[in-house]
Amino acid sequence: ISCMGDWYRNAQVCLVYLDDYPSPPGSQNQYSTRGWTLQEIVMSQRAVFYDREWQKSLDRLCRVPVDLLCSGGKLDVAASAILRMARKRTTFKPEDRAYSLMGIVGVRMAIDCGRGKEKAFSRLFESIIRTAADVSIFNWTGKNFGQ
């Protein structure tokens, strides 16, 4: 899990199949709300989106600012901006919300499943400060992550 960011950064292309797009009016496609999909479209060098009919779709479906799409792992953005971008994404296990951001914020840490999201985010923040010296996370309240 800690190397997934490397996997996407080294990929030539990331094919994204949106099996629930087009979505019914007023609903969101699941891809734009899943926590683990964020690193696919941010860390990859190139992403191609297909709808359920295998027709090319628009990149804006992923709810990521255009300047961060397909960065190839070279993000020049504060960790707090990444946390804001990820705030409405969900994961099956609460602690995976923190683990799914490791590659994007440029840190590695051991996975400690079952200890809860508070512990996972605490470890993520500590790793960000220690590894990247990015103190922007102190400007982030965490209210959208239930912290």
Side-chain angles (χ1 to χ4, degrees):
I1 290 176
S2 65
C3 295
M4 286 179 72
D6 295 340
W7 175 267
Y8 292 112
R9 181 175 44 252
N10 293 324
Q12 293 295 315
V13 65
C14 180
L15 300 177
V16 179
Y17 175 67
L18 305 167
D19 67 343
D20 63 344
Y21 186 80
S23 305
S27 66
Q28 292 180 334
N29 68 312
Q30 291 182 5
Y31 189 85
S32 66
T33 61
R34 292 182 185 141
W36 288 105
T37 60
L38 187 59
Q39 64 184 332
E40 295 175 0
I41 51 179
V42 171
M43 301 295 290
S44 297
Q45 295 177 37
R46 181 172 176 243
V48 181
F49 295 80
Y50 293 93
D51 65 18
R52 74 174 93 184
E53 310 276 326
W54 284 99
Q55 300 298 311
K56 283 189 178 180
S57 296
L58 302 174
D59 295 346
R60 63 181 161 76
L61 297 173
C62 56
R63 298 182 184 246
V64 171
V66 174
D67 58 332
L68 296 181
L69 280 174
C70 303
S71 69
K74 299 171 188 147
L75 289 179
D76 188 25
V77 64
S80 60
I82 294 167
L83 292 168
R84 279 192 305 276
M85 183 174 48
R87 74 181 177 265
K88 293 186 179 180
R89 292 181 176 259
T90 60
T91 56
F92 183 70
K93 294 180 181 179
E95 60 264 34
D96 281 352
R97 293 183 78 190
Y99 299 143
S100 69
L101 298 173
M102 290 189 302
I104 298 172
V105 296
V107 301
R108 292 180 194 247
M109 61 186 201
I111 305 305
D112 194 3
C113 294
R115 301 275 310 254
K117 69 180 175 185
E118 291 82 9
K119 182 74 170 171
F121 272 100
S122 175
R123 293 175 56 238
L124 177 68
F125 292 172
E126 181 182 330
S127 295
I128 291 170
I129 293 166
R130 189 174 356 102
T131 305
D134 184 346
V135 294
S136 72
I137 60 169
F138 292 122
N139 297 328
W140 180 74
T141 65
K143 65 182 178 182
N144 293 312
F145 272 89
Q147 299 293 327

